mmCIF file of all heavy atoms in Angstrom:
data_model
loop_
_atom_site.group_PDB
_atom_site.id
_atom_site.type_symbol
_atom_site.label_atom_id
_atom_site.label_comp_id
_atom_site.label_asym_id
_atom_site.label_seq_id
_atom_site.Cartn_x
_atom_site.Cartn_y
_atom_site.Cartn_z
ATOM 1 N N LEU A 4 11.918 24.817 5.719
ATOM 2 C CA LEU A 4 11.572 25.958 4.878
ATOM 3 C C LEU A 4 12.843 26.759 4.643
ATOM 4 O O LEU A 4 13.530 27.130 5.612
ATOM 5 C CB LEU A 4 10.520 26.819 5.562
ATOM 6 C CG LEU A 4 10.226 28.194 4.940
ATOM 7 C CD1 LEU A 4 9.635 28.035 3.545
ATOM 8 C CD2 LEU A 4 9.293 28.986 5.851
ATOM 9 N N VAL A 5 13.173 27.029 3.397
ATOM 10 C CA VAL A 5 14.397 27.745 3.067
ATOM 11 C C VAL A 5 14.114 28.730 1.946
ATOM 12 O O VAL A 5 13.224 28.495 1.115
ATOM 13 C CB VAL A 5 15.519 26.754 2.678
ATOM 14 C CG1 VAL A 5 15.153 25.984 1.421
ATOM 15 C CG2 VAL A 5 16.850 27.438 2.544
ATOM 16 N N GLN A 6 14.857 29.822 1.916
ATOM 17 C CA GLN A 6 14.680 30.823 0.865
ATOM 18 C C GLN A 6 15.329 30.364 -0.433
ATOM 19 O O GLN A 6 16.280 29.569 -0.420
ATOM 20 C CB GLN A 6 15.281 32.151 1.305
ATOM 21 C CG GLN A 6 14.533 32.808 2.450
ATOM 22 C CD GLN A 6 15.037 34.203 2.741
ATOM 23 O OE1 GLN A 6 16.128 34.601 2.305
ATOM 24 N NE2 GLN A 6 14.264 34.975 3.480
ATOM 25 N N PRO A 7 14.847 30.857 -1.551
ATOM 26 C CA PRO A 7 15.511 30.537 -2.830
ATOM 27 C C PRO A 7 16.992 30.892 -2.776
ATOM 28 O O PRO A 7 17.377 31.932 -2.238
ATOM 29 C CB PRO A 7 14.763 31.421 -3.831
ATOM 30 C CG PRO A 7 13.408 31.597 -3.237
ATOM 31 C CD PRO A 7 13.630 31.673 -1.754
ATOM 32 N N GLY A 8 17.805 29.994 -3.313
ATOM 33 C CA GLY A 8 19.249 30.168 -3.269
ATOM 34 C C GLY A 8 19.897 29.545 -2.055
ATOM 35 O O GLY A 8 21.134 29.459 -1.980
ATOM 36 N N GLY A 9 19.084 29.104 -1.118
ATOM 37 C CA GLY A 9 19.611 28.501 0.103
ATOM 38 C C GLY A 9 19.999 27.043 -0.070
ATOM 39 O O GLY A 9 19.918 26.487 -1.169
ATOM 40 N N SER A 10 20.414 26.441 1.041
ATOM 41 C CA SER A 10 20.887 25.061 1.031
ATOM 42 C C SER A 10 20.226 24.259 2.148
ATOM 43 O O SER A 10 19.845 24.811 3.188
ATOM 44 C CB SER A 10 22.397 25.007 1.233
ATOM 45 O OG SER A 10 23.077 25.658 0.184
ATOM 46 N N LEU A 11 20.110 22.977 1.911
ATOM 47 C CA LEU A 11 19.663 22.016 2.920
ATOM 48 C C LEU A 11 20.428 20.727 2.714
ATOM 49 O O LEU A 11 20.857 20.413 1.591
ATOM 50 C CB LEU A 11 18.164 21.729 2.792
ATOM 51 C CG LEU A 11 17.160 22.758 3.302
ATOM 52 C CD1 LEU A 11 15.748 22.295 2.962
ATOM 53 C CD2 LEU A 11 17.299 22.989 4.792
ATOM 54 N N LYS A 12 20.573 19.972 3.802
ATOM 55 C CA LYS A 12 21.186 18.646 3.708
ATOM 56 C C LYS A 12 20.210 17.640 4.290
ATOM 57 O O LYS A 12 19.891 17.691 5.486
ATOM 58 C CB LYS A 12 22.516 18.598 4.453
ATOM 59 C CG LYS A 12 23.275 17.289 4.242
ATOM 60 C CD LYS A 12 24.649 17.346 4.883
ATOM 61 C CE LYS A 12 25.453 16.093 4.583
ATOM 62 N NZ LYS A 12 26.827 16.158 5.154
ATOM 63 N N LEU A 13 19.721 16.758 3.463
ATOM 64 C CA LEU A 13 18.816 15.708 3.914
ATOM 65 C C LEU A 13 19.607 14.468 4.304
ATOM 66 O O LEU A 13 20.641 14.170 3.703
ATOM 67 C CB LEU A 13 17.827 15.343 2.804
ATOM 68 C CG LEU A 13 16.999 16.483 2.218
ATOM 69 C CD1 LEU A 13 16.008 15.925 1.195
ATOM 70 C CD2 LEU A 13 16.284 17.270 3.290
ATOM 71 N N SER A 14 19.109 13.761 5.303
ATOM 72 C CA SER A 14 19.714 12.512 5.747
ATOM 73 C C SER A 14 18.704 11.385 5.645
ATOM 74 O O SER A 14 17.512 11.591 5.869
ATOM 75 C CB SER A 14 20.193 12.630 7.199
ATOM 76 O OG SER A 14 21.156 13.639 7.336
ATOM 77 N N CYS A 15 19.200 10.210 5.328
ATOM 78 C CA CYS A 15 18.384 8.999 5.280
ATOM 79 C C CYS A 15 19.133 7.928 6.059
ATOM 80 O O CYS A 15 20.181 7.461 5.615
ATOM 81 C CB CYS A 15 18.179 8.568 3.834
ATOM 82 S SG CYS A 15 17.397 6.952 3.639
ATOM 83 N N THR A 16 18.608 7.566 7.207
ATOM 84 C CA THR A 16 19.269 6.599 8.082
ATOM 85 C C THR A 16 18.471 5.311 8.123
ATOM 86 O O THR A 16 17.252 5.332 8.301
ATOM 87 C CB THR A 16 19.431 7.172 9.496
ATOM 88 O OG1 THR A 16 20.220 8.365 9.426
ATOM 89 C CG2 THR A 16 20.124 6.172 10.406
ATOM 90 N N ALA A 17 19.182 4.208 7.969
ATOM 91 C CA ALA A 17 18.545 2.898 7.976
ATOM 92 C C ALA A 17 18.695 2.234 9.336
ATOM 93 O O ALA A 17 19.702 2.409 10.019
ATOM 94 C CB ALA A 17 19.148 2.023 6.897
ATOM 95 N N SER A 18 17.700 1.468 9.687
ATOM 96 C CA SER A 18 17.772 0.616 10.882
ATOM 97 C C SER A 18 17.166 -0.731 10.522
ATOM 98 O O SER A 18 16.293 -0.829 9.659
ATOM 99 C CB SER A 18 17.034 1.249 12.060
ATOM 100 O OG SER A 18 15.670 1.422 11.770
ATOM 101 N N GLY A 19 17.681 -1.768 11.168
ATOM 102 C CA GLY A 19 17.185 -3.111 10.888
ATOM 103 C C GLY A 19 17.888 -3.798 9.739
ATOM 104 O O GLY A 19 17.655 -4.986 9.504
ATOM 105 N N PHE A 20 18.718 -3.082 8.993
ATOM 106 C CA PHE A 20 19.510 -3.678 7.928
ATOM 107 C C PHE A 20 20.664 -2.730 7.606
ATOM 108 O O PHE A 20 20.653 -1.555 7.972
ATOM 109 C CB PHE A 20 18.670 -3.975 6.672
ATOM 110 C CG PHE A 20 18.221 -2.771 5.897
ATOM 111 C CD1 PHE A 20 18.695 -2.532 4.621
ATOM 112 C CD2 PHE A 20 17.316 -1.858 6.443
ATOM 113 C CE1 PHE A 20 18.269 -1.439 3.889
ATOM 114 C CE2 PHE A 20 16.891 -0.752 5.724
ATOM 115 C CZ PHE A 20 17.362 -0.537 4.429
ATOM 116 N N THR A 21 21.661 -3.289 6.904
ATOM 117 C CA THR A 21 22.858 -2.520 6.559
ATOM 118 C C THR A 21 22.765 -2.076 5.106
ATOM 119 O O THR A 21 22.507 -2.883 4.212
ATOM 120 C CB THR A 21 24.120 -3.384 6.764
ATOM 121 O OG1 THR A 21 24.165 -3.798 8.135
ATOM 122 C CG2 THR A 21 25.374 -2.583 6.441
ATOM 123 N N LEU A 22 23.028 -0.798 4.886
ATOM 124 C CA LEU A 22 22.888 -0.231 3.549
ATOM 125 C C LEU A 22 24.039 -0.531 2.597
ATOM 126 O O LEU A 22 23.956 -0.202 1.419
ATOM 127 C CB LEU A 22 22.732 1.291 3.646
ATOM 128 C CG LEU A 22 21.375 1.830 4.106
ATOM 129 C CD1 LEU A 22 21.441 3.340 4.256
ATOM 130 C CD2 LEU A 22 20.262 1.414 3.166
ATOM 131 N N ASP A 23 25.101 -1.136 3.118
ATOM 132 C CA ASP A 23 26.325 -1.294 2.317
ATOM 133 C C ASP A 23 26.066 -1.797 0.898
ATOM 134 O O ASP A 23 26.608 -1.273 -0.063
ATOM 135 C CB ASP A 23 27.289 -2.254 3.014
ATOM 136 C CG ASP A 23 27.917 -1.645 4.233
ATOM 137 O OD1 ASP A 23 27.214 -0.857 4.910
ATOM 138 O OD2 ASP A 23 29.083 -1.945 4.528
ATOM 139 N N TYR A 24 25.258 -2.855 0.771
ATOM 140 C CA TYR A 24 25.016 -3.427 -0.553
ATOM 141 C C TYR A 24 23.598 -3.129 -1.054
ATOM 142 O O TYR A 24 23.002 -3.933 -1.772
ATOM 143 C CB TYR A 24 25.359 -4.912 -0.576
ATOM 144 C CG TYR A 24 26.847 -5.106 -0.701
ATOM 145 C CD1 TYR A 24 27.642 -5.335 0.418
ATOM 146 C CD2 TYR A 24 27.470 -4.962 -1.934
ATOM 147 C CE1 TYR A 24 29.009 -5.452 0.293
ATOM 148 C CE2 TYR A 24 28.845 -5.091 -2.064
ATOM 149 C CZ TYR A 24 29.612 -5.336 -0.946
ATOM 150 O OH TYR A 24 30.968 -5.440 -1.068
ATOM 151 N N TYR A 25 23.122 -1.953 -0.679
ATOM 152 C CA TYR A 25 21.870 -1.456 -1.214
ATOM 153 C C TYR A 25 22.131 -0.175 -1.987
ATOM 154 O O TYR A 25 22.888 0.687 -1.539
ATOM 155 C CB TYR A 25 20.872 -1.161 -0.089
ATOM 156 C CG TYR A 25 20.198 -2.388 0.462
ATOM 157 C CD1 TYR A 25 20.885 -3.255 1.299
ATOM 158 C CD2 TYR A 25 18.885 -2.688 0.139
ATOM 159 C CE1 TYR A 25 20.275 -4.395 1.788
ATOM 160 C CE2 TYR A 25 18.256 -3.820 0.629
ATOM 161 C CZ TYR A 25 18.961 -4.672 1.456
ATOM 162 O OH TYR A 25 18.351 -5.792 1.945
ATOM 163 N N ALA A 26 21.502 -0.063 -3.145
ATOM 164 C CA ALA A 26 21.433 1.236 -3.789
ATOM 165 C C ALA A 26 20.423 2.079 -3.015
ATOM 166 O O ALA A 26 19.417 1.556 -2.524
ATOM 167 C CB ALA A 26 20.987 1.098 -5.241
ATOM 168 N N VAL A 27 20.701 3.348 -2.891
ATOM 169 C CA VAL A 27 19.806 4.252 -2.180
ATOM 170 C C VAL A 27 19.468 5.428 -3.087
ATOM 171 O O VAL A 27 20.347 6.007 -3.729
ATOM 172 C CB VAL A 27 20.435 4.751 -0.873
ATOM 173 C CG1 VAL A 27 19.497 5.746 -0.169
ATOM 174 C CG2 VAL A 27 20.738 3.575 0.045
ATOM 175 N N GLY A 28 18.209 5.745 -3.128
ATOM 176 C CA GLY A 28 17.761 6.838 -3.988
ATOM 177 C C GLY A 28 16.959 7.864 -3.229
ATOM 178 O O GLY A 28 16.343 7.565 -2.199
ATOM 179 N N TRP A 29 16.991 9.067 -3.753
ATOM 180 C CA TRP A 29 16.126 10.142 -3.275
ATOM 181 C C TRP A 29 15.103 10.438 -4.368
ATOM 182 O O TRP A 29 15.473 10.612 -5.548
ATOM 183 C CB TRP A 29 16.926 11.406 -2.965
ATOM 184 C CG TRP A 29 17.727 11.308 -1.705
ATOM 185 C CD1 TRP A 29 19.051 10.981 -1.580
ATOM 186 C CD2 TRP A 29 17.251 11.545 -0.371
ATOM 187 N NE1 TRP A 29 19.426 11.002 -0.266
ATOM 188 C CE2 TRP A 29 18.340 11.348 0.500
ATOM 189 C CE3 TRP A 29 16.010 11.911 0.173
ATOM 190 C CZ2 TRP A 29 18.231 11.500 1.887
ATOM 191 C CZ3 TRP A 29 15.904 12.066 1.543
ATOM 192 C CH2 TRP A 29 17.002 11.859 2.378
ATOM 193 N N PHE A 30 13.861 10.482 -3.968
ATOM 194 C CA PHE A 30 12.757 10.762 -4.863
ATOM 195 C C PHE A 30 11.936 11.889 -4.248
ATOM 196 O O PHE A 30 12.009 12.133 -3.050
ATOM 197 C CB PHE A 30 11.895 9.505 -5.051
ATOM 198 C CG PHE A 30 12.672 8.329 -5.580
ATOM 199 C CD1 PHE A 30 13.422 7.526 -4.724
ATOM 200 C CD2 PHE A 30 12.673 8.027 -6.931
ATOM 201 C CE1 PHE A 30 14.155 6.446 -5.213
ATOM 202 C CE2 PHE A 30 13.401 6.947 -7.423
ATOM 203 C CZ PHE A 30 14.146 6.160 -6.563
ATOM 204 N N ARG A 31 11.172 12.579 -5.063
ATOM 205 C CA ARG A 31 10.363 13.670 -4.510
ATOM 206 C C ARG A 31 8.998 13.709 -5.189
ATOM 207 O O ARG A 31 8.836 13.266 -6.323
ATOM 208 C CB ARG A 31 11.068 15.014 -4.659
ATOM 209 C CG ARG A 31 11.256 15.511 -6.091
ATOM 210 C CD ARG A 31 12.119 16.776 -6.110
ATOM 211 N NE ARG A 31 12.304 17.276 -7.472
ATOM 212 C CZ ARG A 31 13.112 18.285 -7.783
ATOM 213 N NH1 ARG A 31 13.814 18.902 -6.835
ATOM 214 N NH2 ARG A 31 13.214 18.695 -9.044
ATOM 215 N N GLN A 32 8.054 14.261 -4.453
ATOM 216 C CA GLN A 32 6.708 14.418 -4.987
ATOM 217 C C GLN A 32 6.156 15.763 -4.551
ATOM 218 O O GLN A 32 6.021 16.027 -3.346
ATOM 219 C CB GLN A 32 5.787 13.286 -4.540
ATOM 220 C CG GLN A 32 4.432 13.322 -5.222
ATOM 221 C CD GLN A 32 3.648 12.032 -5.034
ATOM 222 O OE1 GLN A 32 3.911 11.241 -4.135
ATOM 223 N NE2 GLN A 32 2.687 11.798 -5.927
ATOM 224 N N ALA A 33 5.854 16.589 -5.535
ATOM 225 C CA ALA A 33 5.248 17.892 -5.280
ATOM 226 C C ALA A 33 3.728 17.757 -5.339
ATOM 227 O O ALA A 33 3.210 16.832 -5.976
ATOM 228 C CB ALA A 33 5.735 18.904 -6.310
ATOM 229 N N PRO A 34 3.006 18.657 -4.695
ATOM 230 C CA PRO A 34 1.543 18.591 -4.718
ATOM 231 C C PRO A 34 0.996 18.570 -6.142
ATOM 232 O O PRO A 34 1.392 19.375 -6.982
ATOM 233 C CB PRO A 34 1.123 19.868 -3.982
ATOM 234 C CG PRO A 34 2.272 20.199 -3.104
ATOM 235 C CD PRO A 34 3.492 19.772 -3.862
ATOM 236 N N GLY A 35 0.138 17.608 -6.414
ATOM 237 C CA GLY A 35 -0.493 17.521 -7.722
ATOM 238 C C GLY A 35 0.384 16.948 -8.815
ATOM 239 O O GLY A 35 -0.023 16.921 -9.988
ATOM 240 N N LYS A 36 1.579 16.497 -8.454
ATOM 241 C CA LYS A 36 2.504 15.947 -9.452
ATOM 242 C C LYS A 36 2.858 14.507 -9.107
ATOM 243 O O LYS A 36 2.723 14.070 -7.972
ATOM 244 C CB LYS A 36 3.770 16.795 -9.536
ATOM 245 C CG LYS A 36 3.529 18.211 -10.050
ATOM 246 C CD LYS A 36 4.833 18.931 -10.269
ATOM 247 C CE LYS A 36 4.609 20.313 -10.859
ATOM 248 N NZ LYS A 36 5.893 21.019 -11.106
ATOM 249 N N GLU A 37 3.356 13.801 -10.115
ATOM 250 C CA GLU A 37 3.811 12.441 -9.888
ATOM 251 C C GLU A 37 5.169 12.440 -9.189
ATOM 252 O O GLU A 37 5.934 13.404 -9.283
ATOM 253 C CB GLU A 37 3.917 11.690 -11.215
ATOM 254 C CG GLU A 37 2.581 11.451 -11.891
ATOM 255 C CD GLU A 37 2.703 10.575 -13.126
ATOM 256 O OE1 GLU A 37 3.845 10.249 -13.501
ATOM 257 O OE2 GLU A 37 1.661 10.228 -13.705
ATOM 258 N N ARG A 38 5.428 11.350 -8.499
ATOM 259 C CA ARG A 38 6.744 11.186 -7.887
ATOM 260 C C ARG A 38 7.818 11.154 -8.976
ATOM 261 O O ARG A 38 7.614 10.554 -10.026
ATOM 262 C CB ARG A 38 6.779 9.883 -7.095
ATOM 263 C CG ARG A 38 8.065 9.660 -6.306
ATOM 264 C CD ARG A 38 8.029 8.295 -5.644
ATOM 265 N NE ARG A 38 8.100 7.221 -6.637
ATOM 266 C CZ ARG A 38 7.774 5.967 -6.378
ATOM 267 N NH1 ARG A 38 7.315 5.630 -5.188
ATOM 268 N NH2 ARG A 38 7.872 5.040 -7.325
ATOM 269 N N GLU A 39 8.944 11.801 -8.711
ATOM 270 C CA GLU A 39 10.053 11.781 -9.664
ATOM 271 C C GLU A 39 11.352 11.428 -8.952
ATOM 272 O O GLU A 39 11.519 11.691 -7.768
ATOM 273 C CB GLU A 39 10.192 13.141 -10.363
ATOM 274 C CG GLU A 39 10.553 14.290 -9.446
ATOM 275 C CD GLU A 39 10.828 15.587 -10.202
ATOM 276 O OE1 GLU A 39 10.979 15.552 -11.448
ATOM 277 O OE2 GLU A 39 10.903 16.634 -9.555
ATOM 278 N N ARG A 40 12.241 10.859 -9.692
ATOM 279 C CA ARG A 40 13.549 10.520 -9.136
ATOM 280 C C ARG A 40 14.407 11.771 -9.091
ATOM 281 O O ARG A 40 14.308 12.638 -9.965
ATOM 282 C CB ARG A 40 14.228 9.426 -9.943
ATOM 283 C CG ARG A 40 14.375 9.721 -11.415
ATOM 284 C CD ARG A 40 14.934 8.517 -12.146
ATOM 285 N NE ARG A 40 15.058 8.748 -13.575
ATOM 286 C CZ ARG A 40 15.556 7.873 -14.436
ATOM 287 N NH1 ARG A 40 15.953 6.688 -14.014
ATOM 288 N NH2 ARG A 40 15.631 8.164 -15.713
ATOM 289 N N VAL A 41 15.234 11.863 -8.100
ATOM 290 C CA VAL A 41 16.112 13.010 -7.926
ATOM 291 C C VAL A 41 17.570 12.590 -8.085
ATOM 292 O O VAL A 41 18.300 13.116 -8.912
ATOM 293 C CB VAL A 41 15.899 13.662 -6.546
ATOM 294 C CG1 VAL A 41 16.875 14.825 -6.329
ATOM 295 C CG2 VAL A 41 14.450 14.125 -6.384
ATOM 296 N N SER A 42 17.976 11.620 -7.278
ATOM 297 C CA SER A 42 19.364 11.178 -7.296
ATOM 298 C C SER A 42 19.456 9.804 -6.662
ATOM 299 O O SER A 42 18.702 9.493 -5.743
ATOM 300 C CB SER A 42 20.249 12.160 -6.517
ATOM 301 O OG SER A 42 21.596 11.745 -6.511
ATOM 302 N N CYS A 43 20.382 8.995 -7.149
ATOM 303 C CA CYS A 43 20.596 7.662 -6.603
ATOM 304 C C CYS A 43 22.077 7.372 -6.524
ATOM 305 O O CYS A 43 22.878 7.900 -7.316
ATOM 306 C CB CYS A 43 19.921 6.588 -7.474
ATOM 307 S SG CYS A 43 18.142 6.752 -7.580
ATOM 308 N N ILE A 44 22.442 6.522 -5.575
ATOM 309 C CA ILE A 44 23.826 6.102 -5.423
ATOM 310 C C ILE A 44 23.847 4.596 -5.279
ATOM 311 O O ILE A 44 23.031 4.017 -4.548
ATOM 312 C CB ILE A 44 24.505 6.809 -4.231
ATOM 313 C CG1 ILE A 44 25.991 6.497 -4.172
ATOM 314 C CG2 ILE A 44 23.816 6.473 -2.908
ATOM 315 C CD1 ILE A 44 26.768 7.408 -3.219
#
């Protein structure tokens, strides 16, 4: 929970495989809304 104007850093850690040759994306879903893409690398 953060106030408007604040910052957060999310982490995504993989286990069981190496991410080197995987594209990784962040997606989000708000209540009552469809999932949307946020950012990918």
Side-chain angles (χ1 to χ4, degrees):
L4 169 64
V5 64
Q6 292 188 344
S10 298
L11 284 175
K12 187 174 185 177
L13 305 184
S14 300
C15 171
T16 300
S18 61
F20 71 114
T21 301
L22 284 175
D23 288 35
Y24 281 97
Y25 282 75
V27 178
W29 286 97
F30 302 82
R31 66 187 180 187
Q32 187 166 20
K36 295 187 177 181
E37 293 186 355
R38 185 184 68 197
E39 64 174 347
R40 55 186 178 178
V41 177
S42 179
C43 298
I44 187 167

